[in-house]
Amino acid sequence: MRRYIRALMLCMVFAVFSGLYVYSKLFFSDVSAGANGPKRVFIPPKDPGARRGAADKNGHQNPRWYIMRQRGQMEAAAHGVQRRPEPPMNLAVVACGERLEETLTMIKSAVLFTIKPLYLHIFAEDQLHASFMEALESWTGSVRSKFNYTVYAISFPSDNAAEWKKLFKPCASQRLFLPLILKDFDSIVYVDSDILFLQPVDHLWAFLSQFNPTQLAAMAPEHEEPRIAWYNRFARHPFYGRTGINSGVMLMNMTRMRSAFFRNDMTSVGLRWEELLMPLLQKYKLNITWGDQDLLNIIFHHNPEFLQEFPCKWNYRPDHCIYGSNCASAEEDGIYVLHGNRGVYHDNKQPAFRAVYEAIKKYAFGTNPVTSLLDPLEEELLKTTHTYCGKSHTLFTKTLSHSLANVNGKAPRGR
């Protein structure tokens, strides 16, 4: 009898301890899930030491964009999905003199179509800083959530600052020093202020992932037709390829640019980027016409394996239609990026270019982009068919109509 009582007691003790064990596992599982749940942690961007847009009194960057991304992370974590925040695409522009409105219009086109978040690096003369910040901060919250920005002072090496600043257009050669100023950034898309995106920046940014192991920059050819190209007929210095390259749209893997050694015609050894620029200017300054673009042509003439070419539809200029259409990729797919050099946004020499610029400048965020931008633009373009560029007016809206339809959430109309 005593054996049965002992066995029964042992079974009861075992059942109690088993219950306590199961309870403890459930309890600590809940605590552990809570401890590892999402946290609101603000990680500010690395500061390259420039003047910042929307900065607080302690000099910290406005955290709006980062909080927005973390909010998305928290929602994903709540559904059991863990993902790292995607870094923004870096877009740089230089604005001096009367370029404020033109630069803001470029930024509007980039922000309007962007898919991933943008980080804007705006290099401008001091008197323009407040105007840039006021304009960008005035855009609606839903638009502002698509980008953040930094406004930088114009900065050249102190020993030769005046010479660099006056080279070609005011401040244009600032682009040459981006790898040395933006040391905490890996890659960037540089554009001139007279650029207009008719396609998301994302698709241009994607070229960076297509670089082979030696490529560190990408640009479009200066021209597709050698018989009317400038460099092969008039240049007094080396240039890249058959017709040279145009630097109005330039992708840079700045990490590679900072570490590479560049062959040159001044020394028998390769030079780093920061060692190359000034000697190159001193050697060729009496022979260059287009300033920093000419220096880039010289550099990549000696180092062609460092450069990737992208099609002219990504840098479509009046030269591609002023004497008749000669950009095959645009004829096939439409214009992706419009480059209004020669001041064509602000005179009547190429009204098709000006029509696109005015349409984007006048567009108000929040309104229907098809009825407020595309339809008025098509009407204006029909008035330009007396010009060679106007005869190709469908190229200006082919890609744009698809981009605007995506912004509007509707299928594009047949064009």
Side-chain angles (χ1 to χ4, degrees):
M1 186 68 165
R2 289 180 179 177
R3 288 180 182 175
Y4 292 115
I5 293 174
R6 287 176 182 171
L8 180 62
M9 291 180 66
L10 285 172
C11 289
M12 291 176 63
V13 171
F14 179 80
V16 170
F17 277 104
S18 297
L20 290 173
Y21 175 79
V22 171
Y23 176 79
S24 66
K25 292 296 287 181
L26 290 172
F27 175 79
F28 286 108
S29 174
D30 289 342
V31 171
S32 140
N36 292 325
K39 299 179 181 179
R40 290 178 181 268
V41 180
F42 169 57
I43 304 175
K46 292 182 179 180
D47 174 19
R51 183 174 299 185
R52 289 166 292 280
D56 63 22
K57 62 182 179 181
N58 294 317
H60 296 301
Q61 190 75 16
N62 186 330
R64 181 182 300 139
W65 181 84
Y66 296 90
I67 291 174
M68 177 197 75
R69 291 296 297 167
Q70 288 188 2
R71 196 169 293 135
Q73 281 183 276
M74 289 189 287
E75 292 170 358
H79 292 86
V81 179
Q82 296 290 333
R83 64 170 182 245
R84 298 177 64 184
E86 192 170 15
M89 301 174 292
N90 294 297
L91 178 65
V93 65
V94 178
C96 287
E98 304 297 322
R99 299 281 180 156
L100 174 67
E101 184 178 74
E102 186 176 87
T103 305
L104 287 170
T105 305
M106 181 281 293
I107 293 173
K108 180 189 282 189
S109 73
V111 171
L112 178 61
F113 301 127
T114 190
I115 300 170
K116 293 190 295 186
L118 280 171
Y119 201 106
L120 306 172
H121 302 265
I122 304 168
F123 290 81
E125 291 177 309
D126 291 350
Q127 66 269 23
L128 299 178
H129 288 198
S131 298
F132 270 114
M133 294 170 69
E134 181 180 357
L136 295 176
E137 292 297 329
S138 71
W139 291 351
T140 62
S142 60
V143 175
R144 277 290 287 117
S145 69
K146 293 172 135 187
F147 71 95
N148 211 328
Y149 67 95
T150 301
V151 179
Y152 304 81
I154 297 296
S155 175
F156 294 110
S158 56
D159 292 346
N160 310 94
E163 191 169 6
W164 282 114
K165 187 170 183 178
K166 69 182 181 181
L167 183 66
F168 193 48
K169 295 179 181 178
C171 308
S173 56
Q174 180 74 81
R175 85 188 83 186
L176 297 176
F177 299 94
L178 296 184
L180 309 180
I181 297 171
L182 302 176
K183 293 182 179 180
D184 293 325
F185 294 88
D186 176 69
S187 298
I188 205 161
V189 174
Y190 166 85
V191 295
D192 285 347
S193 61
D194 53 7
I195 289 296
L196 291 172
F197 289 94
L198 308 184
Q199 174 106 179
V201 182
D202 308 62
H203 300 162
L204 183 60
W205 182 260
F207 277 102
L208 290 163
S209 64
Q210 299 171 19
F211 281 7
N212 67 28
T214 66
Q215 291 169 340
L216 49 75
M219 285 176 273
E222 172 71 11
H223 220 289
E224 279 59 49
E225 177 48 68
R227 289 176 299 175
I228 55 175
W230 193 90
Y231 278 107
N232 56 291
R233 295 190 296 156
F234 304 116
R236 296 176 293 161
H237 57 77
F239 57 89
Y240 175 86
R242 291 192 311 154
T243 61
I245 45 176
N246 184 280
S247 60
V249 180
M250 181 178 181
L251 283 76
M252 306 182 204
N253 184 318
M254 297 188 294
T255 300
R256 292 184 180 183
M257 292 177 75
R258 287 186 287 262
S259 61
F261 287 92
F262 293 83
R263 294 189 301 275
N264 60 88
D265 56 2
M266 299 172 293
T267 68
S268 58
V269 298
L271 297 176
R272 299 267 192 191
W273 189 258
E274 66 270 20
E275 302 169 331
L276 178 66
L277 297 177
M278 195 61 215
L280 205 61
L281 176 63
Q282 293 300 330
K283 177 172 182 176
Y284 286 105
K285 63 182 178 181
L286 299 180
N287 295 324
I288 58 178
T289 303
W290 309 112
D292 52 302
Q293 177 174 288
D294 290 347
L295 296 182
L296 289 169
N297 266 280
I298 297 168
I299 292 171
F300 289 109
H301 167 84
H302 293 292
N303 302 273
E305 72 280 9
F306 288 170
L307 186 70
Q308 181 186 104
E309 285 187 49
F310 50 72
C312 51
K313 64 185 177 183
W314 291 103
N315 188 351
Y316 189 91
R317 297 170 290 113
D319 304 74
H320 292 121
C321 57
I322 195 171
Y323 306 115
S325 184
N326 59 67
C327 175
S329 60
E331 291 171 10
E332 182 176 348
D333 302 320
I335 299 167
Y336 287 5
V337 176
L338 195 68
H339 186 177
N341 65 332
R342 305 182 183 226
V344 293
Y345 293 154
H346 312 293
D347 59 31
N348 295 314
K349 293 180 180 178
Q350 295 301 327
F353 281 76
R354 182 168 185 170
V356 179
Y357 175 78
E358 291 292 332
I360 294 176
K361 184 182 76 171
K362 293 175 182 177
Y363 170 72
F365 282 119
T367 60
N368 185 309
V370 174
T371 58
S372 299
L373 196 165
L374 184 59
D375 290 345
L377 172 58
E378 288 183 322
E379 290 183 19
E380 289 301 314
L381 286 173
L382 289 175
K383 302 175 185 177
T384 70
T385 55
H386 61 284
T387 66
Y388 278 117
C389 292
K391 292 182 190 301
S392 301
H393 64 90
T394 56
L395 304 185
F396 291 79
T397 55
K398 184 174 183 178
T399 301
L400 179 63
S401 64
H402 285 78
S403 300
L404 290 175
N406 290 335
V407 171
N408 211 28
K410 296 180 180 179
R413 299 197 304 241
R415 284 185 166 78

